[in-house]
Amino acid sequence: MTLVQTRGAPLPVRRSVPGRIRVISGITVASLALLFAALAVGSASARDGLRVIGRDAGPQVVATAGLYLALSDMDAQVANALVMGGQYTEQRKDALDRYQQRRSEANQALLKAFELSGDDPAERRTVQSVLDGLGQYERLAGQALLLSEQAKHAPGPPPQEVVLTYRQATDLMRLVLLPQAYNLTLENGTIVRATSDDKAVMVPLLRNAVLVAGLLALGCLIWLQIFLARRFRRVFGPALLVATLTTLLALAFGVNVLGRDEEALRTAKSAGFDSVLTLAKTRAISNSMQGDQSRYLLDKERADTYEHTYLDKSLSVLYFEAGNLTAYHRAVAEGSENFLGMLGPEIVGREGEDVVSAYQVFQAADTSFRELVRGGRTNEAVAVRLGSVTEAFDEYDKALVALADTHQDVFKSAIADGENALNNLWRLLPFAIGAIGLLVIAGVWPRLKEYR
């Protein structure tokens, strides 16, 4: 009886070995490709977060926060100039020069806000509304300054016609423009917050994906080596051992880089961007406070209103339990161990202590100023307002800027650290991919040749 081999009969074991080597090698290469794909996606996600927070939206949001400062200082300088009358010629010129400087800064901030708004029609309408309102404010402020100059009044409250015109200007600024400017900052800040929230989830997730893909690739390399060692009864091949070691190093380096980027994004957002933005808002509100001092002296009918407004802003900057301004001044002078308000979380280290000390000096100067106004000593009150009060505020503002610079350095350092880590990864990654690929080929190819 003749035995006939059918087509479906199994191939000899010797001929099936190259096929199994190719299958295992293919799975290994696929796992390595998955590892490097996960590294590429993870690093791209981290780089996008660093770009948005550190280079694009983040700095632009801080710049739009400067819009509030510029607008509030414009109004403060107009009030200062009106209070000076015709006596303080040099100081009046300085105030008007600063008004023009702030006007230019406001225009630049509005341009950046327009760029940041993108295709959002609501934000673009807000920017356009601020532009239109700013033009109207400049017209009213110009009229008030011209009437004051023509009147050549003594330092202190100007003629009623000047006061009424300035009221229209400052009401427009305080009730319309400043709230709109503040809303612009909040709206633009959502871009940074959304990016930060997204990357806080995605980067750790992709980091874990890299870890899983790397362990899978290492497992496949070990599987391939064990198969070759058992089939050919030889020790592990040096090429595959080096490939395994290189993969392990690439995995460790990639996981470390994504971990550093995760930390860099968190630090840049919380210890950098958030603090810089908070201090920018604090500067703007504080600047509006010192403008209220001039308005308190300028408009007798609204003096109580401006005093309450000053107190409300002071409480938002640094909170103390106080029912009136006198009690607040006393609480500030006594100090506290637990500060609340916008400045509360930022009062850390020597720079934070400097801010508190300067703020206490500024509030003490405000106490002396108001006592002179209440005593009817208008000329002395104007002199103190333009002298010691302004000097105290300038020192306080410098302390805020110094504290903001500290957080700005933290912000820049975190972004730079994250970007440098990614750059180093991408300098080494192509070489690692090429080296591992060549080593796998060098470890497998000689075994396949034995079957030719």
Side-chain angles (χ1 to χ4, degrees):
M1 184 175 178
T2 303
L3 297 175
V4 179
Q5 182 179 355
T6 64
R7 290 184 179 182
L11 294 174
V13 174
R14 183 176 176 83
R15 292 186 59 189
S16 69
V17 171
R20 294 183 64 184
I21 294 175
R22 291 188 183 97
V23 170
I24 298 173
S25 299
I27 294 174
T28 302
V29 170
S31 66
L32 287 167
L34 181 63
L35 167 62
F36 292 121
L39 277 173
V41 174
S43 59
S45 178
R47 190 181 293 278
D48 179 64
L50 292 168
R51 177 187 58 79
V52 172
I53 295 175
R55 305 294 178 185
D56 293 342
Q60 288 186 358
V61 170
V62 175
T64 59
L67 173 62
Y68 193 104
L69 172 63
L71 292 176
S72 63
D73 200 27
M74 283 175 63
D75 198 40
Q77 296 311 316
V78 172
N80 290 344
L82 294 176
V83 164
M84 293 175 195
Q87 182 172 328
Y88 296 89
T89 306
E90 191 65 29
Q91 289 94 327
R92 181 185 173 91
K93 181 180 180 301
D94 292 340
L96 294 179
D97 288 343
R98 184 163 169 173
Y99 170 82
Q100 294 297 333
Q101 177 189 346
R102 294 303 194 189
R103 175 187 177 190
S104 176
E105 293 174 3
N107 288 331
Q108 292 174 7
L110 282 170
L111 286 175
K112 290 183 179 180
F114 187 80
E115 293 173 3
L116 195 60
S117 65
D119 297 327
D120 190 328
E123 286 194 29
R124 291 201 167 198
R125 283 195 299 270
T126 302
V127 174
Q128 185 62 53
S129 177
V130 175
L131 278 171
D132 294 341
L134 185 57
Q136 185 181 356
Y137 173 84
E138 291 174 1
R139 178 178 60 80
L140 291 169
Q143 289 179 0
L145 289 169
L146 179 60
L147 290 171
S148 174
E149 188 175 356
Q150 291 174 345
K152 297 181 180 179
H153 60 89
Q160 187 66 11
E161 185 181 12
V162 177
V163 173
L164 292 177
T165 305
Y166 176 70
R167 276 185 192 173
Q168 297 179 59
T170 194
D171 286 348
L172 176 63
M173 178 64 76
R174 293 184 304 106
L175 302 179
V176 179
L177 297 182
L178 289 179
Q180 287 180 335
Y182 190 73
N183 288 338
L184 271 178
T185 302
L186 293 179
E187 291 168 2
N188 292 332
T190 59
I191 298 174
V192 175
R193 286 192 295 273
T195 300
S196 177
D197 293 343
D198 176 62
K199 301 308 176 185
V201 174
M202 289 302 300
V203 174
L205 183 64
L206 291 169
R207 182 168 173 252
N208 291 333
V210 168
L211 182 60
V212 172
L215 293 175
L216 178 63
L218 288 172
C220 289
L221 282 168
I222 294 172
W223 176 30
L224 178 60
Q225 290 178 80
I226 291 174
F227 175 80
L228 293 177
R230 287 180 175 176
R231 177 59 60 186
F232 294 93
R233 294 182 174 84
R234 297 174 185 174
V235 297
F236 291 122
L240 289 178
L241 282 173
V242 175
T244 303
L245 180 60
T246 305
T247 301
L248 179 61
L249 292 174
L251 171 62
F253 188 60
V255 169
N256 177 262
V257 166
L258 290 181
R260 286 175 61 183
D261 285 339
E262 180 185 351
E263 179 63 24
L265 285 166
R266 183 165 48 248
T267 301
K269 170 64 168 56
S270 60
F273 173 82
D274 286 347
S275 293
V276 170
L277 186 57
T278 296
L279 291 169
K281 294 176 183 176
T282 302
R283 282 191 70 203
I285 293 173
S286 298
N287 204 288
S288 183
M289 284 165 52
Q290 65 97 16
D292 284 332
Q293 291 172 323
S294 290
R295 286 184 279 270
Y296 172 74
L297 185 59
L298 178 73
D299 192 340
K300 292 182 178 181
E301 293 180 13
R302 290 189 174 184
D304 288 342
T305 299
Y306 290 129
E307 182 172 300
H308 286 301
T309 302
Y310 178 93
L311 175 60
D312 289 341
K313 293 172 183 176
S314 297
L315 290 169
S316 67
V317 170
L318 203 59
Y319 182 83
F320 291 92
E321 190 68 36
N324 54 61
L325 189 55
T326 301
Y328 182 80
H329 284 153
R330 186 166 51 252
V332 170
E334 293 172 354
S336 173
E337 293 183 358
N338 298 315
F339 292 106
L340 302 175
M342 297 180 69
L343 274 180
E346 311 303 332
I347 301 174
V348 179
R350 182 181 59 82
E351 291 83 0
E353 293 175 358
D354 290 343
V355 170
V356 173
S357 297
Y359 186 77
Q360 289 174 321
V361 173
F362 171 60
Q363 291 293 351
D366 182 72
T367 302
S368 301
F369 160 72
R370 292 182 192 275
E371 288 176 354
L372 291 172
V373 177
R374 293 179 187 126
R377 298 155 69 181
T378 303
N379 289 338
E380 293 179 47
V382 172
V384 169
R385 170 68 187 94
L386 301 178
S388 60
V389 173
T390 299
E391 292 171 4
F393 177 80
D394 288 343
E395 291 301 315
Y396 162 60
D397 191 59
K398 288 177 184 177
L400 285 176
V401 172
L403 183 58
D405 287 343
T406 301
H407 288 287
Q408 183 72 24
D409 290 341
V410 171
F411 176 76
K412 291 180 179 179
S413 177
I415 296 297
D417 182 66
E419 290 178 338
N420 288 337
L422 285 175
N423 291 337
N424 291 333
L425 175 64
W426 279 99
R427 289 190 189 100
L428 298 176
L429 201 57
F431 296 101
I433 293 172
I436 293 172
L438 291 175
L439 288 168
V440 171
I441 293 173
V444 173
W445 187 252
R447 306 289 81 81
L448 291 174
K449 286 181 64 177
E450 295 181 16
Y451 288 87
R452 290 189 173 184

